[in-house]
Amino acid sequence: MRAAKILIVIGFFVFSSVSANAQFLMDMIDTTTDLGKGMMSMYQKYDALRFSGYIQPQFQYAQSKGAASYAGGDFGPAVNNRFTLRRGRIRVDYERYNKVGMPVVQFAFQFDGTERGVFIRDFYGRFFETKFNLFSLAGGMFARPFGYEVNLSSADRETPERGRMSQILMKTERDLGAMLSFEPRVKNHPLAFLKIDVGAFNGQGLTGPTDFDSHKDIISRIGIKPRKIGHSGILLSGGVSVLYGGMEQFTNNIYRMGTVNGGPGMVVDSSKNNVGKIAPRHYYGADFQLKIPNGKGKGSTQFRAEYIRGQQTATAFTTETPGVIPVLPDGKLAPLYIRSFDGAYLYFIQNLGSDQHQVVVRYDWYDPNKKVKGTEIGRPGAGLTPADIRYNTLGFGYLYYANEHLKFTFYYDWVKNEHTLLPGYTEDLKDNIFTARMQFRF
């Protein structure tokens, strides 16, 4: 917390200094002369400094007190309704352009301040090559280039939160690393529709204080930008993504699905040779987006979908990517669990006769362990836990865009879990959530 506050203060003074120096230079230029006008034009043309942000105050009502939730975090044991400040973002962007208007360098800094504390969300630089105007290189803290929903800004997304799967597999969406991008910036380039990102990242995201092993995640996405279909005005876009990574096994106890007492269950491999090997974290995904215009000033109809499957390494009671070396309450190293998973989301978004009114319906599921179902979870000796339960969520809501700075969202999450033999999970949990949110943006 203290480090974050120090960084914010430094960032404030840097921003103030840049702004002050910019204003000083502008004040020193005599715009009544041709030379001064040329200098002013050059200064304004080659440098761009932007300051933006948004806040999201909201009220939520849960179906029961103490409900576990991916709609902004779990409720307190005696709480079924709450006011929260879900996000409070401030962002500074600096960009430098060359004489022909092509970007040369970009710097971005964003932090998030709420009642829970202050946290850095983006802190990176990007360099653009200007000979072919095809490539760029980014380094620092930024969003992983995987899928569509992970990279869609919380300010622009129609639902209050990303899906359960996105939050579990890529908590905070961001990581520390470097990324090379192919994205033609020349007008009418034959590959202008294409964007390819390839990056190497620490792997644990922003959930841990520092990287705890030497293994890196390689993440890539090949995306097609929105393309018109014929003369209809319909826009189609999509992409395929791969995350090929993992984490070092600091313990020799590795659990995988097998057969226990004649049924599916977790089987331990206690070989000493396991220590030092890499437990897999492999994701494969595909996504598409379709936007159909409804007429001038009447908004659009949109469909989005994304499917992800692969292998995830975590622990007995969670499939969330570990942020630190997992340990048990007694301080001993926790065994690792390797599970095959899949999940998806589907969006339907419809404007109601204008750009101001919009309804959204989203269905998503996350199955953390594809090799076991329902009442197979909880069988004696199977070693399965709540982390193996599949969840399906149907959400629907209404959005009102009062103006470019103010948005209202009313959204309901209807969450269904598998019925198992585990105590507390023999029937559906009472964890549906209603969210009413305002968003102020500048």
Side-chain angles (χ1 to χ4, degrees):
M1 173 68 77
R2 177 170 180 155
K5 290 181 178 179
I6 292 174
L7 283 171
I8 291 170
V9 172
I10 293 174
F12 174 77
F13 281 111
V14 169
F15 173 75
S16 300
S17 175
V18 170
S19 301
N21 289 337
Q23 187 62 49
F24 173 77
L25 289 173
M26 294 174 72
D27 290 343
M28 291 293 292
I29 297 173
D30 184 0
T31 58
T32 61
T33 66
D34 291 340
L35 177 61
K37 292 177 181 179
M39 291 177 64
M40 178 66 76
S41 175
M42 181 183 299
Y43 180 80
Q44 293 175 337
K45 181 177 181 181
Y46 297 158
D47 291 270
L49 184 64
R50 295 193 302 274
F51 192 62
S52 61
Y54 61 94
I55 61 172
Q56 295 176 336
Q58 65 183 27
F59 175 79
Q60 292 183 302
Y61 190 89
Q63 192 179 8
S64 65
K65 292 183 178 180
S69 174
Y70 282 86
D74 296 346
F75 284 71
V79 177
N80 68 352
N81 67 88
R82 63 189 180 189
F83 283 102
T84 63
L85 182 59
R86 182 62 184 93
R87 296 175 182 88
R89 302 286 175 88
I90 298 293
R91 176 169 173 140
V92 178
D93 285 90
Y94 168 78
E95 292 179 353
R96 174 73 176 179
Y97 298 87
N98 61 16
K99 294 180 179 180
V100 295
M102 290 295 181
V104 178
V105 68
Q106 175 194 15
F107 170 82
F109 172 57
Q110 180 179 211
F111 67 87
D112 183 23
T114 70
E115 74 276 12
R116 299 176 297 278
V118 178
F119 307 94
I120 296 174
R121 283 293 173 258
D122 291 295
F123 208 157
Y124 66 89
R126 187 190 302 269
F127 171 76
F128 299 86
E129 63 84 17
T130 55
K131 182 176 182 179
F132 304 103
N133 292 301
L134 297 176
F135 299 96
S136 64
L137 179 65
M141 181 188 299
F142 52 93
R144 300 171 173 105
F146 189 99
Y148 183 83
E149 187 181 56
V150 166
N151 285 273
L152 182 60
S153 170
S154 301
D156 299 323
R157 195 176 55 250
E158 294 82 5
T159 58
E161 306 298 335
R162 294 174 177 86
R164 179 182 295 259
M165 176 173 59
S166 297
Q167 294 188 53
I168 289 176
L169 298 180
M170 297 190 185
K171 189 174 182 178
T172 71
E173 301 86 51
R174 296 159 175 83
D175 204 347
L176 282 161
M179 180 176 72
L180 179 66
S181 298
F182 171 85
E183 185 178 15
R185 297 180 297 281
V186 180
K187 189 177 181 180
N188 298 324
H189 191 281
L191 297 178
F193 65 90
L194 193 62
K195 187 175 189 294
I196 303 175
D197 297 311
V198 181
F201 300 85
N202 280 345
Q204 81 273 23
L206 307 185
T207 58
T210 184
D211 198 11
F212 60 78
D213 64 13
S214 296
H215 192 72
K216 297 294 178 282
D217 285 359
I218 305 300
I219 309 177
S220 178
R221 182 175 188 267
I222 301 175
I224 296 176
K225 298 178 182 179
R227 304 269 293 172
K228 284 188 177 181
I229 300 177
H231 300 287
S232 62
I234 297 175
L235 297 176
L236 177 65
S237 58
V240 293
S241 305
V242 174
L243 185 154
Y244 197 85
M247 61 174 289
E248 184 174 340
Q249 298 173 178
F250 294 94
T251 171
N252 60 309
N253 293 322
I254 308 299
Y255 283 83
R256 294 179 175 85
M257 284 299 294
T259 301
V260 178
N261 298 330
M266 285 290 179
V267 178
V268 64
D269 175 2
S270 298
S271 171
K272 293 182 180 180
N273 295 328
N274 287 332
V275 177
K277 291 184 177 180
I278 302 301
R281 189 162 60 243
H282 300 162
Y283 312 159
Y284 308 93
D287 63 85
F288 84 90
Q289 303 82 43
L290 182 68
K291 186 174 183 179
I292 306 170
N294 296 153
K296 188 175 181 180
K298 295 183 178 181
S300 63
T301 301
Q302 298 183 56
F303 298 92
R304 298 178 195 153
E306 184 167 359
Y307 176 74
I308 304 173
R309 67 182 302 169
Q311 285 186 300
Q312 172 70 349
T313 295
T315 57
F317 292 94
T318 181
T319 59
E320 186 176 291
T321 299
V324 297
I325 299 174
V327 296
L328 298 171
D330 61 6
K332 295 181 180 179
L333 290 171
L336 297 181
Y337 284 65
I338 300 173
R339 301 174 173 95
S340 297
F341 75 89
D342 80 342
Y345 66 76
L346 301 107
Y347 279 81
F348 169 72
I349 305 163
Q350 177 65 59
N351 283 93
L352 303 176
S354 74
D355 291 324
Q356 286 188 295
H357 303 278
Q358 193 175 62
V359 293
V360 56
V361 179
R362 183 184 69 185
Y363 172 73
D364 72 77
W365 88 78
Y366 175 54
D367 189 349
N369 190 343
K370 290 173 55 183
K371 297 184 178 181
V372 65
K373 300 294 181 186
T375 54
E376 293 175 331
I377 303 173
R379 281 191 321 105
L384 300 169
T385 74
D388 298 286
I389 298 174
R390 170 175 169 150
Y391 283 81
N392 305 286
T393 304
L394 176 63
F396 44 91
Y398 165 73
L399 295 88
Y400 174 60
Y401 298 83
N403 52 54
E404 61 181 327
H405 305 291
L406 177 61
K407 178 174 72 174
F408 295 90
T409 302
F410 304 93
Y411 194 83
Y412 189 79
D413 276 308
W414 183 24
V415 186
K416 304 290 287 185
N417 58 270
E418 286 183 297
H419 295 184
T420 75
L421 298 180
L422 292 172
Y425 296 89
T426 57
E427 56 186 28
D428 190 50
L429 301 176
K430 294 183 178 181
D431 52 358
N432 299 345
I433 307 294
F434 170 73
T435 301
R437 172 185 293 177
M438 293 186 290
Q439 176 176 287
F440 303 91
R441 186 177 188 177
F442 67 94

